[in-house]
Amino acid sequence: MPGLTSAAGVVGFLSEPEPELQVFALKVLNEEIDSLWTEVAGCVGDIEALYEDPSFPERELAALVAAKVYYNLQEYNESMIFALGAGKLFNIDHEGEFEDTIISKCVDTYIALSGTVPASTTNQPPPQLTTAFSSNANGASSISASLASPTTPFSQSTLPSKSLLSRQDSTTTFDPSQQIGANPTLPGALPASVASQASVQKQLYAIIDELFERCFQGGSYRQVIGIAVEARRLDVLRRAILRASDDEKQQLKGENGSLIRGQDLMEYVLEICMNVVQERGFRNEVSFCTRQIHKKQRQADFAQLLRLVLDLLNDIPSPDYFSIAKCIVYLNEHTMASGLLVQLVNKGDPKSTAIAYQIAFDLYDNSTQEFLKKVREELPKAPESAVVPPADSEDRMQEEAPEPNESDQLLGELDDSAGVPAAALEGGQAKKDESLSPEAQKAFESIRTILSGTKTIELDLEFLFRSNRADMAILNKIRDSVEARNSIYHTAVTLATAFMHAGTTNDSFFRQNLEWLGKAVNWSKFTATAALGVIHRGNLGQGQKLLEPYLPKDQIAGANPSSAYSQGGSLYALGLIYANHETFALDLIRDHFKKATEEVVQHGGALGLGVAGMATGDESIYEDLKSVLYTDSALNGEAVGIAMGLIMLGTGDIKALEDMIQYAHDTQHEKIVRGLALGMALIMYGRQEGADELVNGLLDDPDPILRYGGIQTLALAYCGTGSNKAVRKLLHVAVSDVSDDVRRIAVMSLGFILFRKPSSVPRMVELLSESYNPHVRYGAAMALGISCAGTGLDEAIDLLEPMIKDPTDFVRQGALISLSMIMVQQNEAMNPKVGTIRKTLLKAISDRHEDAMTKFGSAIALGVIDAGGRNCTISLQTQTGNLNMSGIVGMAVFTQYWYWFPLTHFLSLSFTPTAIVGLDQDLEVPSFKFHSATRPSLFDYPPEQEAKHEDAPEKVKTAVLSTTAQAKRRAQKKEKQQRRESMDIDQTPTTPKTTHLDDKMDTDEPAPKIEEGQDAEKVDGEKKDGEAPPESARKRMEKEKVGYQLENMSRVLPAQRKFISFPPDGRYQPVKKPTGGVILLTDSTPSEPKSLMELKAKKAVKPAAAPATLQDRVTEALGQQEAADREISGAAEAAGVLTAVDEDPEGGEEAEVPREFDYFTDEEGGGGE
């Protein structure tokens, strides 16, 4: 029938008593509702009455018509309820706006209903601090404007997110936190019909199940997993993964294929768990569901999830052990880590052993020292090693084995059923150590070596040593451009040298510039000595010998004491060499720290202890630091506060926090309060919701330094999470706090929260970078540098370039440093602006009219942009995507250089070598090649700075006056005129053009020679700039052949990794996809002889620097020593310069002013004889 133009007649049938007429009217309205709904809306009550009448034969049809009417009225809640009542008449397979909207509404309601039930009934609230923070009469934060303010405590917020994705507020989504059955007019309130009627919920779940089944049939498993994660439905998550594996098995039945769909889904689950889910408690449960165990669950849940882990492992023929290890690290399950390693080693095949080695390398890169120590202790040992305890403190075993508990029993049952001995997880209890084969013993010893970090540090040192491309011309330029007697300039050159040679063991600049080095006094000497630790970082074998002349010694009567500043700097340097590596150095630094009486030595010792003992959680070291803190010395108190936080890094220790908060309120020294504030932030590293109470307490404090610490705590607790709540809080504080320092750190902390999403930061800080407050502008610049480090992001550079010309000196300083952090490891092919930026940095350091702070920033920037001999990048996450703990901590402490220059050295902790190092199953470095599918120049080193040599003054060119030139031209013209008249044929004049010659002076300068076959225009082009234009360089790159071979242990940038491949027919194949760093290889022909690479760093052993004796100096003056002896003398003289006691001690008495004198002229009788 033709379309209706009016619904008046049809609507009248709804009031008829005959059901046939009512059904006819509903069918007509259902087909024409989109054009007639305005007339039908007035009688929607009659349609609802038909739906509610149990005797009406077409109730579902009435519900469908009512749903469409409410849909057009934009009452989506009511529309969804009636659509659910329509039953099978609501066809989700039909494509239309109505169906899509109702399905979306059903999904949101499903998520909201699932969210009203706690995901875990055993999640305990975080421990509460007993220290009371000051608050106003209402108990609210002094910064909070209202309950809806972004500064509301996260755990007590009345407006939490609707889902795990923390979407923006919307009236079209439900809020699971709202009271069930509340006023439906409230945004996010669940409709009473959905909340109270079980039939409606049943229909909702039926629709969702049908939707899931349709996704399964279409292969859209990820959509189901996304809904399951948001709805906290682990049963649906398990169902989706198992269904994907089953479907793939059916497809590959009878075919030789690998099951990869289930593995891809597991990787997807882990990705959204780590990067999207913003609630730590539920993230643990999701990780749990994906083959992990969370020890805080109830016993029943624990056993059930263990069975789920076993089922998933059985359904995936080749488990992704690397993803398992990634979750193990996040959950801090050291028992599972050791069990996984034991399981792989016990398999006995070479590939499983190589995977175990690779997991051990990944564990070292992503774990704390405390975690690694427990894993090493739990690994099985040979019988003889179990009897005799090792001498090193880090390998001490507990005297009594821990009593087995129910969790251990379940672990044993799981591994028994999986084919793994129960004793494999009990490596610390040597029950079956006697059954270890020689191969297994060797494998476990190798794993211990890897977990201790020795192998990784050794390989990084070797790469940086052999690939060092530091440009000494730049350092010489910096040295010559600034006045060395100015302390800030001397420190700037020292820091640039340290960063440029970080980890390369090349300290030749210090040895060759002893006169310049001798101008360091007091804290400049402290910083210069500590720079040796940055340069020799990772030199585990020679670190102590190199610093022996500088370390504190027992004073002997009559002996010349060494400078306290060099002693303190040497302890700091020793900690940097053994950073995050618990060895004998930790005990050595601790011994010197306890014996020290000089505050400067204690200062350096505290920093060294914190760096070397990072995240060890050692209570005894903490107590030693606390005892020095209570002496209330401002000089060493700041360093001790930072060191306490480094030792307890990420532990969330409540007792330590209470001690530090109490003393921060008691002391009168701002430096101590600042150190304690940063220390508390370090303790809460990665704690997320667990740090909320401390954050809000510190932000309520009237002391701006403690509020500063509250922002740092927030940044480190939520680093890398991209938490919207944390970002909102930071932005609120950045524009509302009365302290410039707090506002500066609030903007800067955005970089720590969002460094995994660098492209979002420029847009967020764009307006802040134009703020009237220079501190906010500086914070915006540093936020860009922190979050976009090593990316070369154009949007960030566009914001920073105008800030180079900012009227405030420290804003220019921050812009230069941030530019260098973004441009590290970039060349002209990757980013055309890098050349201009390098010239800008050199121009700023050589400009005599530039401010000291800007020059200081420029010098640091020149060191950072060439970090590690141009072989290091700045990365706050590891090669596997986890948080880079040492890198984040180093960056956080580095930002405090604003208050204390020696803390600048911490930036070296975030330097990551850009290399791929392949190891075979014997942990040796074989010689082989792999392929890079790019042009060689795309990721090549940037060109070195051209040094200008001015050996002798140039010869002055003879000037030719303009009148002389005019006379010559007249003579030439007259001569040519005469020749023309004497010849029969006129010739074309060959006189060169003389345009504008009257305005310039001619010189007797020979014209450039043009070789045969060379165009004159090319010569002119080369003469202009001395280099080829960018267009020609681009053309040369285009002519290059795509694809080339790289040797093992070669420089591979992060952006280059996706182009790296190993030849399929090659001898060595990686056990996992190359991600940079150490890669374990399987040897396809182990019986053939192999070629190994020579490790040069071990052979290049430098002698220990010892104080030069008088005979050494006399011998050197006579020139009778050999070349090697001169190297020893250079080191000795450098040590002698730095250890010399300053003639003018800090705070000493100034020199006496010369007395007046009289001067007599010859006439006055005072002249000469």
Side-chain angles (χ1 to χ4, degrees):
M1 59 181 296
L4 297 178
T5 58
S6 176
V10 179
V11 169
F13 289 150
L14 296 176
S15 58
E16 294 292 332
E18 290 82 3
E20 292 79 4
L21 294 176
Q22 295 172 340
V23 171
F24 172 77
L26 290 175
K27 289 182 178 178
V28 173
L29 293 176
N30 182 43
E31 295 176 359
E32 304 291 338
I33 194 65
D34 290 337
S35 59
L36 304 177
W37 67 269
T38 54
E39 300 180 57
V40 181
C43 59
V44 69
D46 297 336
I47 300 176
E48 291 186 29
L50 294 176
Y51 167 67
E52 295 172 356
D53 186 3
S55 61
F56 185 67
E58 294 290 342
R59 294 182 59 207
E60 294 181 349
L61 179 59
L64 182 61
V65 174
K68 292 183 178 181
V69 173
Y70 279 115
Y71 164 75
N72 285 283
L73 290 172
Q74 296 186 2
E75 295 290 342
Y76 299 128
N77 291 342
E78 296 295 332
S79 177
M80 180 197 66
I81 294 172
F82 283 105
L84 293 175
K88 295 182 179 180
L89 293 182
F90 177 66
N91 184 12
I92 64 174
D93 293 329
H94 184 270
E95 295 183 0
E97 293 184 3
F98 169 70
E99 287 78 10
D100 292 343
T101 303
I102 298 303
I103 291 174
S104 175
K105 201 67 181 176
C106 289
V107 171
D108 288 338
T109 307
Y110 174 78
I111 293 172
L113 285 173
S114 302
T116 58
V117 181
S120 175
T121 59
T122 59
N123 287 340
Q124 300 295 329
Q128 301 295 314
L129 289 171
T130 59
T131 303
F133 290 99
S134 59
S135 60
N136 55 22
N138 297 327
S141 172
S142 59
I143 301 176
S144 302
S146 64
L147 290 177
S149 170
T151 59
T152 304
F154 301 155
S155 57
Q156 303 173 11
S157 175
T158 59
L159 296 174
S161 57
K162 267 65 64 185
S163 68
L164 297 173
L165 303 181
S166 298
R167 294 177 294 190
Q168 295 298 322
D169 295 343
S170 174
T171 58
T172 61
T173 56
F174 294 118
D175 192 337
S177 66
Q178 296 290 343
Q179 184 178 0
I180 297 178
N183 185 357
T185 60
L186 293 176
L190 284 172
S193 301
V194 178
S196 60
Q197 297 182 15
S199 59
V200 176
Q201 293 187 17
K202 183 178 180 180
Q203 294 167 353
L204 173 65
Y205 291 139
I207 291 290
I208 296 298
D209 289 340
E210 185 179 354
L211 180 64
F212 286 167
E213 185 61 31
R214 191 176 68 171
C215 291
F216 289 151
Q217 293 176 0
S220 302
Y221 302 99
R222 294 193 175 191
Q223 283 80 347
V224 179
I225 289 177
I227 296 175
V229 171
E230 287 213 35
R232 303 167 179 260
R233 294 294 299 270
L234 301 184
D235 55 335
V236 177
L237 182 63
R238 177 183 183 275
R239 172 187 167 193
I241 295 176
L242 294 181
R243 177 65 180 270
S245 300
D246 292 340
D247 293 347
E248 194 171 13
K249 285 181 180 179
Q250 294 295 329
Q251 294 176 5
L252 297 178
K253 191 174 182 180
E255 302 178 5
N256 293 328
S258 59
L259 299 178
I260 61 175
R261 184 179 299 168
Q263 297 180 14
D264 291 342
L265 285 179
M266 299 298 289
E267 293 178 0
Y268 175 70
V269 172
L270 294 178
E271 180 182 358
I272 62 176
C273 175
M274 298 297 178
N275 301 328
V276 179
V277 177
Q278 295 187 3
E279 298 181 26
R280 183 186 178 93
F282 181 59
R283 184 187 303 170
N284 291 346
E285 294 185 22
V286 175
S287 301
F288 214 1
C289 183
T290 55
R291 304 159 298 182
Q292 299 307 317
I293 302 170
H294 195 286
K295 60 185 178 182
K296 294 183 179 180
Q297 293 284 359
R298 290 179 300 175
Q299 184 63 36
D301 294 339
F302 191 76
Q304 181 181 2
L305 290 172
L306 280 175
R307 296 189 189 98
L308 175 60
V309 172
L310 181 60
D311 290 342
L312 294 176
L313 284 175
N314 290 334
D315 287 329
I316 300 178
S318 301
D320 186 0
Y321 292 109
F322 303 109
S323 296
I324 296 175
K326 187 175 181 179
C327 279
I328 287 175
V329 172
Y330 179 82
L331 295 174
N332 201 29
E333 290 286 349
H334 54 85
T335 303
M336 290 192 65
S338 59
L340 181 63
L341 294 174
V342 170
Q343 176 185 351
L344 290 170
V345 172
N346 286 342
K347 286 186 177 181
D349 59 292
K351 185 174 182 180
S352 297
T353 304
I355 292 176
Y357 289 162
Q358 184 67 66
I359 289 176
F361 278 109
D362 292 345
L363 288 176
Y364 172 75
D365 289 338
N366 298 286
S367 307
T368 64
Q369 294 189 52
E370 183 181 13
F371 180 91
L372 297 172
K373 183 178 180 180
K374 292 179 180 178
V375 174
R376 292 198 303 268
E377 291 175 350
E378 291 173 354
L379 292 175
K381 291 185 178 181
E384 54 271 16
S385 63
V387 176
V388 181
D392 196 355
S393 60
E394 67 179 9
D395 292 329
R396 291 197 302 267
M397 302 293 292
Q398 297 180 357
E399 295 181 0
E400 296 182 1
E403 296 182 1
N405 51 27
E406 295 178 352
S407 300
D408 296 333
Q409 182 180 358
L410 285 171
L411 284 170
E413 293 175 358
L414 168 65
D415 289 296
D416 287 339
S417 60
V420 182
L425 290 178
E426 300 174 351
Q429 305 174 14
K431 292 183 178 181
K432 299 185 179 181
D433 289 341
E434 294 81 0
S435 61
L436 290 177
S437 63
E439 293 78 9
Q441 294 180 17
K442 179 182 177 182
F444 286 127
E445 289 301 323
S446 299
I447 290 175
R448 285 192 185 89
T449 303
I450 296 172
L451 293 176
S452 67
T454 305
K455 196 67 180 178
T456 302
I457 295 174
E458 175 188 333
L459 294 173
D460 288 344
L461 184 73
E462 174 66 26
F463 165 70
L464 295 176
F465 176 80
R466 67 165 56 221
S467 304
N468 182 18
R469 297 285 291 271
D471 193 350
M472 299 298 292
I474 296 178
L475 285 178
N476 294 331
K477 174 76 172 178
I478 300 173
R479 179 202 60 198
D480 297 338
S481 300
V482 295
E483 175 56 47
R485 290 195 176 276
N486 192 325
S487 178
I488 186 174
Y489 290 150
H490 196 286
T491 301
V493 179
T494 299
L495 295 172
T497 306
F499 290 156
M500 197 173 293
H501 294 93
T504 63
T505 71
N506 182 7
D507 56 2
S508 59
F509 182 82
F510 287 156
R511 299 170 185 256
Q512 297 170 2
N513 295 275
L514 296 179
E515 182 181 356
W516 166 86
L517 190 63
K519 297 178 182 179
V521 294
N522 300 334
W523 288 106
S524 297
K525 184 174 293 186
F526 178 94
T527 306
T529 309
L532 296 174
V534 178
I535 296 173
H536 292 277
R537 184 189 172 195
N539 194 357
L540 305 180
Q542 300 295 322
Q544 183 183 5
K545 293 182 180 179
L546 288 165
L547 295 175
E548 189 66 33
Y550 311 95
L551 292 173
K553 300 178 179 64
D554 296 333
Q555 296 297 333
I556 303 175
N560 293 328
S562 59
S563 172
Y565 293 95
S566 65
Q567 294 178 10
S570 66
L571 294 178
Y572 186 14
L574 195 61
L576 290 170
I577 291 177
Y578 297 91
N580 200 20
H581 184 65
E582 186 181 5
T583 57
F584 70 93
L586 188 62
D587 295 329
L588 179 62
I589 300 172
R590 183 181 178 185
D591 183 58
H592 285 301
F593 175 75
K594 294 169 67 175
K595 293 180 180 178
T597 57
E598 293 278 350
E599 291 182 340
V600 178
V601 180
Q602 290 179 338
H603 183 95
L607 293 176
L609 272 178
V611 178
M614 187 186 303
T616 57
D618 195 315
E619 292 285 349
S620 58
I621 298 178
Y622 172 80
E623 292 297 330
D624 292 341
L625 292 168
K626 188 169 69 172
S627 62
V628 176
L629 175 70
Y630 286 164
T631 61
D632 203 43
S633 170
L635 188 59
N636 55 30
E638 182 178 17
V640 168
I642 297 174
M644 292 166 69
L646 290 171
I647 295 295
M648 294 294 177
L649 179 65
T651 60
D653 191 289
I654 297 298
K655 182 180 179 299
L657 290 172
E658 292 172 353
D659 294 340
M660 298 169 77
I661 293 170
Q662 186 64 40
Y663 195 77
H665 285 104
D666 294 341
T667 185
Q668 300 297 320
H669 297 291
E670 290 187 357
K671 290 178 67 68
I672 296 179
V673 177
R674 185 173 293 113
L676 290 173
L678 179 56
M680 287 186 285
L682 293 171
I683 292 177
M684 283 300 180
Y685 165 80
R687 305 300 294 183
Q688 297 187 22
E689 294 91 350
D692 291 346
E693 182 189 4
L694 178 63
V695 169
N696 289 281
L698 291 174
L699 290 179
D700 288 344
D701 200 281
D703 188 351
I705 300 179
L706 288 180
R707 296 203 304 274
Y708 186 100
I711 295 297
Q712 288 178 309
T713 305
L714 178 63
L716 292 180
Y718 286 88
C719 59
T721 63
S723 171
N724 291 341
K725 293 180 180 179
V727 170
R728 289 199 300 269
K729 180 181 278 288
L730 291 174
L731 291 175
H732 179 79
V733 175
V735 298
S736 63
D737 200 278
V738 297
S739 171
D740 286 337
D741 289 345
V742 179
R743 298 179 67 180
R744 183 180 67 248
I745 191 63
V747 181
M748 194 187 307
S749 297
L750 292 171
F752 289 99
I753 304 293
L754 298 170
F755 69 78
R756 281 179 167 168
K757 304 174 183 177
S759 59
S760 64
V761 179
R763 184 176 63 256
M764 185 170 296
V765 303
E766 182 175 3
L767 293 178
L768 296 173
S769 65
E770 301 174 358
S771 171
Y772 72 92
N773 191 326
H775 293 267
V776 175
R777 298 199 301 270
Y778 173 86
M782 293 301 294
L784 290 170
I786 293 170
S787 60
C788 305
T791 63
L793 194 64
D794 292 332
E795 292 82 356
I797 297 172
D798 292 340
L799 287 180
L800 289 171
E801 282 181 332
M803 302 175 75
I804 299 176
K805 301 177 182 179
D806 194 276
T808 307
D809 53 359
F810 61 79
V811 177
R812 298 196 298 272
Q813 178 192 79
L816 293 173
I817 294 176
S818 296
L819 279 173
S820 68
M821 294 166 65
I822 295 173
M823 284 300 187
V824 65
Q825 293 280 294
Q826 301 283 317
N827 59 17
E828 292 278 359
M830 299 172 66
N831 195 315
K833 293 184 178 180
V834 66
T836 305
I837 291 175
R838 286 180 176 272
K839 291 179 181 178
T840 302
L841 296 176
L842 288 172
K843 181 180 178 182
I845 197 69
S846 58
D847 188 356
R848 295 183 179 180
H849 304 288
E850 190 59 86
D851 294 320
M853 294 187 69
T854 307
K855 286 189 174 184
F856 180 82
S858 178
I860 294 179
L862 286 169
V864 170
I865 201 171
D866 290 338
R870 299 187 174 183
N871 291 295
C872 286
T873 187
I874 296 177
S875 178
L876 301 187
Q877 53 185 341
T878 62
Q879 310 279 8
T880 56
N882 285 23
L883 296 180
N884 182 5
M885 182 191 67
S886 60
I888 294 172
V889 171
M891 183 66 72
V893 182
F894 159 73
T895 59
Q896 303 309 299
Y897 82 89
W898 179 280
Y899 302 103
W900 194 236
F901 286 158
L903 297 180
T904 312
H905 286 311
F906 270 83
L907 182 61
S908 63
L909 299 181
S910 62
F911 291 167
T912 303
T914 52
I916 286 183
V917 182
L919 295 183
D920 60 13
Q921 297 168 3
D922 297 327
L923 299 183
E924 296 177 330
V925 186
S927 177
F928 72 97
K929 295 183 179 180
F930 52 90
H931 184 73
S932 176
T934 60
R935 295 181 175 88
S937 61
L938 181 58
F939 299 104
D940 198 6
Y941 289 97
E944 293 187 0
Q945 178 74 16
E946 294 183 2
K948 296 182 179 180
H949 300 284
E950 298 180 357
D951 297 334
E954 296 182 0
K955 183 179 179 181
V956 178
K957 299 174 183 178
T958 305
V960 181
L961 298 177
S962 58
T963 55
T964 307
Q966 291 177 1
K968 286 184 178 180
R969 286 197 297 273
R970 285 195 295 269
Q972 291 176 359
K973 186 177 180 180
K974 187 180 294 184
E975 182 181 358
K976 290 177 183 177
Q977 184 68 21
Q978 294 175 356
R979 287 202 306 268
R980 190 178 296 112
E981 293 176 354
S982 62
M983 296 179 65
D984 297 333
I985 302 175
D986 294 336
Q987 296 180 354
T988 304
T990 58
T991 306
K993 296 181 180 180
T994 57
T995 308
H996 303 299
L997 287 178
D998 296 339
D999 300 333
K1000 295 189 286 186
M1001 298 179 71
D1002 295 337
T1003 58
D1004 295 340
E1005 184 178 4
K1009 295 181 180 180
I1010 302 177
E1011 297 180 0
E1012 188 175 343
Q1014 186 176 8
D1015 193 358
E1017 294 182 358
K1018 293 184 179 180
V1019 177
D1020 295 338
E1022 292 175 359
K1023 183 180 178 182
K1024 282 184 180 180
D1025 298 325
E1027 56 183 8
E1031 289 78 6
S1032 61
R1034 191 177 296 108
K1035 290 181 180 179
R1036 286 200 305 269
M1037 187 183 71
E1038 291 177 356
K1039 293 180 180 179
E1040 289 179 340
K1041 182 180 179 182
V1042 176
Y1044 62 102
Q1045 301 295 322
L1046 287 171
E1047 291 283 349
N1048 189 15
M1049 200 175 282
S1050 293
R1051 172 178 175 266
V1052 178
L1053 302 186
Q1056 188 181 3
R1057 293 172 193 158
K1058 57 186 176 182
F1059 302 106
I1060 297 298
S1061 62
F1062 286 73
D1065 56 346
R1067 176 175 179 178
Y1068 296 100
Q1069 296 296 325
V1071 297
K1072 71 169 186 177
K1073 183 179 179 180
T1075 56
V1078 180
I1079 300 294
L1080 262 295
L1081 309 170
T1082 56
D1083 191 353
S1084 58
T1085 57
S1087 58
E1088 296 182 3
K1090 57 184 178 181
S1091 175
L1092 300 178
M1093 298 185 67
E1094 181 183 5
L1095 300 183
K1096 301 179 180 179
K1098 286 186 176 180
K1099 293 192 174 184
V1101 177
K1102 295 183 179 180
T1109 63
L1110 179 61
Q1111 182 61 35
D1112 291 334
R1113 296 179 179 177
V1114 171
T1115 306
E1116 182 186 6
L1118 295 175
Q1120 297 178 353
Q1121 291 187 335
E1122 300 292 337
D1125 294 335
R1126 285 197 295 268
E1127 180 69 17
I1128 297 175
S1129 179
E1133 289 190 13
V1137 168
L1138 288 177
T1139 56
V1141 179
D1142 300 328
E1143 296 180 0
D1144 298 328
E1146 188 176 17
E1149 201 173 310
E1150 295 184 357
E1152 185 180 357
V1153 180
R1155 293 175 297 177
E1156 296 183 359
F1157 61 93
D1158 298 329
Y1159 175 75
F1160 300 97
T1161 62
D1162 294 341
E1163 298 178 356
E1164 296 174 341
E1169 298 178 0

